[in-house]
């Protein structure tokens, strides 16, 4: 049985598919909530609640794990990261301070790290082997 990487076209399709899934999940969990909450002291919070961000992350674990366990690791990592980064940029780009780019970069780096870790675990479990370094 071939254990090498998949061919380029299916890898590209997996990247595009996971990017689309990530965009859709962002829209479902975060895209509809654009309202900031004003606290009694005048400060604002939001627009997202913790449960929305946690829901987004938990839902995306399934397609990332699925893709990585089937040797579509570039799709799992690059597709998800690209989708979340584009969604954050689109959602936050109306911020006049320009600080939204800090958040976009943090989304990109955080999703890159987490999808890489989940993909490594999924690949190791699928092969029946140990995690790297163990």
């Amino acid at each position: 049985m071939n254990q090498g990487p998949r061919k380029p076209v299916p890898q590209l399709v997996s990247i595009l598919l996971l990017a689309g899934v990530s965009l859709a999940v962002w829209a479902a969990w975060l895209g509809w909530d654009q309202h900031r909450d004003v606290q009694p002291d005048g400060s604002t919070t939001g627009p997202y609640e913790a449960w929305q961000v946690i829901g987004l992350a938990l839902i995306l674990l399934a397609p990332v794990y699925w893709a990585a366990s089937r040797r579509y690791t570039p799709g799992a990592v690059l597709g998800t990261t690209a989708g979340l980064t584009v969604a954050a940029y689109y959602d936050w780009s109306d911020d006049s301070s320009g600080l939204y780019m800090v958040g976009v970069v943090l989304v990109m780096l955080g999703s890159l790290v987490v999808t890489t870790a989940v993909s490594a675990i999924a690949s190791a479990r699928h092969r029946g082997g140990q995690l790297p370094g163990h």
Side-chain angles (χ1 to χ4, degrees):
M1 178 193 263
N2 181 8
Q3 292 296 323
R6 300 278 182 161
K7 293 187 187 236
V9 172
Q11 288 290 3
L12 179 60
V13 169
S14 74
I15 291 170
L16 294 174
L17 182 64
L18 268 290
V21 167
S22 299
L23 283 165
V25 172
W26 179 287
W29 283 92
L30 305 179
W32 55 271
D33 191 357
Q34 301 299 314
H35 176 73
R36 293 195 175 272
D37 298 320
V38 179
Q39 304 301 316
D41 65 358
S43 65
T44 59
T45 61
Y48 313 123
E49 299 292 333
W51 64 268
Q52 291 173 280
V53 178
I54 292 167
L56 168 78
L58 291 176
I59 294 296
L60 283 178
L61 283 176
V64 169
Y65 189 91
W66 181 87
S69 67
R70 282 154 183 78
R71 298 190 321 267
Y72 292 113
T73 304
V77 175
L78 300 177
T80 304
T81 300
L84 290 176
T85 303
V86 168
Y89 179 83
Y90 179 79
D91 201 12
W92 300 339
S93 63
D94 60 349
D95 175 32
S96 61
S97 73
L99 289 175
Y100 73 93
M101 279 307 294
V102 174
V104 171
V105 169
L106 290 173
V107 166
M108 180 185 67
L109 293 174
S111 59
L112 184 65
V113 168
V114 171
T115 55
T116 299
V118 170
S119 295
I121 291 167
S123 296
R125 290 197 188 278
H126 180 71
R127 286 191 311 265
Q130 295 289 325
L131 292 174
H134 287 102

